[in-house]
C-alpha cells in the first residue's frame, strides 16, 4: 500500500509505503532545478515495481503536473506536463489515477476552467504521457464534473471524479 501527500510546513512531498507491519517513508525523486514541490495528489500501483505518483511543481507563477515512477528500487522523475495559462491564480489539481498495465495508465484532473483547459485526462502508452480528447462539455468555461471509469482485467471498475 502506498500513500502520498505533502508536508505543507516544509513544502516537501510525502511518500509512504506500508509493508504489512509498519509505514516507511520513501524519498521522492529530486525535483527539476528551479522548481519547488507542491505535493503529491494521487498514486496508482499496478505491481510492486510499477507505481506512478502525481503531484504539482511550482515556479514563480507557473504550475506543472509532476509525474514520478517507482521501479521497485527508487522514485524517478518521469515527466512534467505544462498547462499554459495555469498559475498560482488558477487551479491545477489531480483527482485520480489508475495503472492497468505497463503500457496503460491514466490520470485525470482539473486545470483551471477559465483557461480553456478544464478537465484533463492524460494517458501513458508505455513511452509517452499524452492528453486525451474529452467531450466538449468538459472543457472551456464548463463547471461540470467528469467521471472517468476504467474497467480492469479482473473486471473491477476504477472511477475518478473530477
Amino acid at each position: 500500500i502506498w500513500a502520498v501527500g505533502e508536508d505543507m510546513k516544509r513544502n516537501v512531498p510525502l511518500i509512504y509505503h506500508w509493508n504489512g507491519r509498519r509505514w516507511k517513508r520513501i524519498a521522492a525523486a529530486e525535483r527539476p532545478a528551479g522548481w519547488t514541490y507542491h505535493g503529491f495528489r494521487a498514486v496508482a500501483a499496478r505491481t510492486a515495481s510499477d507505481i506512478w505518483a502525481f503531484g504539482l511543481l511550482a515556479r514563480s507563477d507557473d504550475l506543472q503536473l509532476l509525474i514520478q515512477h517507482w521501479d521497485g528500487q527508487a522514485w524517478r522523475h518521469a515527466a512534467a506536463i505544462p498547462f499554459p495559462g495555469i498559475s498560482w491564480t488558477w487551479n491545477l489539481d489531480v483527482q485520480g489515477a489508475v495503472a492497468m498495465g505497463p503500457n496503460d495508465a491514466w490520470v485525470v484532473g482539473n486545470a483551471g476552467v477559465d483557461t480553456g483547459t478544464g478537465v484533463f485526462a492524460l494517458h501513458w502508452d508505455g513511452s509517452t504521457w499524452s492528453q486525451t480528447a474529452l467531450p466538449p462539455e468538459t472543457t472551456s468555461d464548463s463547471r461540470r464534473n467528469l467521471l472517468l471509469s476504467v474497467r480492469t482485467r479482473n473486471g473491477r471498475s476504477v472511477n475518478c471524479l473530477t
Side-chain angles (χ1 to χ4, degrees):
I1 298 174
W2 290 86
V4 297
E6 175 183 13
D7 178 339
M8 296 176 79
K9 287 184 179 180
R10 297 184 308 155
N11 198 30
V12 295
L14 297 176
I15 301 176
Y16 287 94
H17 179 251
W18 175 257
N19 66 8
R21 293 188 317 272
R22 67 179 183 90
W23 288 101
K24 179 181 179 185
R25 186 163 177 188
I26 309 292
E30 282 292 315
R31 70 181 184 279
W35 292 85
T36 59
Y37 281 122
H38 201 47
F40 286 107
R41 303 292 197 261
V43 63
R46 186 182 71 82
T47 67
S49 61
D50 187 12
I51 302 166
W52 297 95
F54 305 91
L56 303 178
L57 285 174
R59 176 177 61 191
S60 121
D61 65 347
D62 189 15
L63 287 176
Q64 292 192 1
L65 177 66
L66 166 68
I67 303 173
Q68 291 192 1
H69 185 258
W70 174 261
D71 62 8
Q73 302 298 314
W75 286 99
R76 304 196 192 291
H77 178 76
I81 311 292
F83 285 85
I86 304 295
S87 68
W88 290 107
T89 307
W90 305 110
N91 184 34
L92 174 60
D93 206 9
V94 174
Q95 301 295 321
V98 61
M100 299 185 328
N103 303 325
D104 194 13
W106 293 84
V107 60
V108 296
N110 291 301
V113 294
D114 294 327
T115 66
T117 305
V119 175
F120 69 85
L122 297 174
H123 179 252
W124 171 253
D125 65 7
S127 61
T128 306
W129 284 95
S130 57
Q131 190 135 359
T132 301
L134 295 171
E137 292 82 14
T138 64
T139 59
S140 189
D141 195 29
S142 171
R143 305 279 191 237
R144 299 181 181 124
N145 290 331
L146 174 70
L147 177 64
L148 176 66
S149 181
V150 181
R151 192 165 194 83
T152 63
R153 281 182 279 236
N154 65 7
R156 192 180 91 223
S157 249
V158 180
N159 301 309
C160 304
L161 178 66
T162 64

